[in-house]
Amino acid sequence: MPELPEVEVTRRGVAPHLEGRVVEQVVFRREGLRWPFPVHIADALVGQRIEHVKRRGKYLLLGFASGTLIVHLGMSGHLRVLPPGIELKKHDHFDLVVGANGVRQVLRLHDPRRFGAVLWHGIDDGELEQHILLRGLGVEPLEDSFSAELLYRATRKRSAPIKQVLLAGDIVVGVGNIYACESLFRAGINPKTPASRISRVRYEKLAAAIRDVLAAAIVQGGSTLRDFIAVNGQSGYFQQTYFVYDRAGVPCRNCGAPIRQIKQGQRSTFYCATCQR
């Protein structure tokens, strides 16, 4: 599944092609993906200008004067910006055709597993942050509001393992499985440690590790996941720097002990039992 770095790479890739452009056509090729498409807004968006392209967690937000188009890539989705007339592929489910100064481009959503989403939140529906998919999200890990003190205070009554608390997304958003494993390794924290037992000092290390890992992944174009393709068609390279993720049985880059793999909440966790206490 594309995680925060992959979604941010996608946002940065599509934003220059969308911001300031006017929607000329909206095309849905099926009734929906994870949820039904908002087909009633197809005609309403034509003629409207895209004011900005933002991100909240793993959601892309295309802002219009009348509301926001919410896009989620799901398990296997990716967005591409293409010239008109490019041949359709199987699983090309949604097109947003935009234009400016006589130049037309197509934002196309490709989603083989169909767990993605395209939804609409109109200005009459209230504040965007109160949308059912957004209102429970935690702070953004790359913004100033994220800190070790926030992690410490929010976990005093959380007995769940720290890895599971990070994935929950209600304290800090967007730290998915890959980057949680890598961040915990950098911070030297065992993923099975109850969140409430971690000290302020260790949370300082974890908060810094989360920022560093996510920032590095964005710079390197994200990770080349099974189904993720960047907007420009190129692969990410962060997976080449993994210390623990998907390296079960391989010697730790720090100490040489074999990397372990366990299941936590039906997700694979990778860690070094020697380096992470």
Side-chain angles (χ1 to χ4, degrees):
M1 174 187 291
E3 299 186 11
L4 186 152
E6 289 76 45
V7 179
E8 178 61 19
V9 167
T10 297
R11 187 199 69 78
R12 295 182 185 187
V14 303
H17 301 278
L18 299 180
E19 291 178 340
R21 270 62 171 185
V22 174
V23 174
E24 297 186 359
Q25 187 180 11
V26 180
V27 180
F28 296 110
R29 298 190 179 87
R30 57 180 299 112
E31 292 184 357
L33 297 173
R34 187 172 182 181
W35 297 287
F37 285 138
V39 292
H40 63 283
I41 60 95
D43 292 335
L45 285 184
V46 173
Q48 288 204 44
R49 187 179 304 277
I50 301 173
E51 297 183 345
H52 56 254
V53 180
K54 297 182 178 181
R55 178 191 54 75
R56 182 73 173 100
K58 300 177 185 179
Y59 295 94
L60 288 172
L61 309 174
L62 279 61
F64 297 83
S66 59
T68 302
L69 199 65
I70 303 172
V71 180
H72 193 276
L73 300 179
M75 297 291 292
S76 61
H78 66 262
L79 292 171
R80 299 289 299 278
V81 176
L82 305 166
I86 294 294
E87 182 179 357
L88 287 171
K89 297 180 180 180
K90 186 178 181 180
H91 308 305
D92 286 345
H93 302 307
F94 165 70
D95 282 358
L96 190 70
V97 183
V98 300
N101 301 319
V103 178
R104 303 176 80 223
Q105 291 181 301
V106 179
L107 178 73
R108 179 164 293 167
L109 174 63
H110 179 87
D111 186 4
R113 298 181 67 181
R114 301 197 296 274
F115 280 101
V118 178
L119 303 170
W120 176 252
H121 185 84
I123 56 173
D124 294 336
D125 296 326
E127 293 294 327
L128 179 61
E129 285 292 327
Q130 295 306 309
H131 187 279
I132 189 170
L133 295 177
L134 305 179
R135 64 190 180 201
L137 298 182
V139 301
E140 290 286 336
L142 297 177
E143 294 184 356
D144 292 341
S145 53
F146 175 63
S147 68
E149 186 64 20
L150 170 75
L151 289 175
Y152 179 78
R153 290 183 177 276
T155 56
R156 292 310 82 202
K157 297 182 180 180
R158 301 286 283 267
S159 60
I162 182 58
K163 166 78 179 311
Q164 297 304 98
V165 170
L166 292 178
L167 293 187
D170 58 332
I171 297 176
V172 56
V173 67
V175 185
N177 198 37
I178 293 174
Y179 303 107
C181 289
E182 292 296 310
S183 298
L184 288 166
F185 175 80
R186 292 198 187 193
I189 297 173
N190 190 299
K192 297 181 288 184
T193 304
S196 60
R197 292 179 55 188
I198 298 174
S199 67
R200 278 189 173 89
V201 172
R202 300 192 84 192
Y203 271 126
E204 288 284 355
K205 294 181 179 179
L206 180 57
I210 289 171
R211 291 193 199 94
D212 291 345
V213 165
L214 293 178
I218 291 169
V219 169
Q220 295 179 57
S223 297
T224 301
L225 309 178
R226 182 176 302 169
D227 299 301
F228 176 70
I229 301 174
V231 174
N232 59 7
Q234 295 180 354
S235 300
Y237 296 98
F238 188 73
Q239 76 282 354
Q240 297 178 6
T241 68
Y242 288 167
F243 279 85
V244 290
Y245 186 81
D246 203 25
R247 299 187 74 242
V250 177
C252 174
R253 299 183 192 274
N254 281 355
C255 72
I259 298 301
R260 297 186 182 183
Q261 179 180 3
I262 60 173
K263 287 287 187 180
Q264 290 184 294
Q266 299 184 347
R267 304 294 298 277
S268 290
T269 293
F270 301 86
Y271 71 105
C272 174
T274 301
C275 296
Q276 295 174 254
R277 299 289 185 176

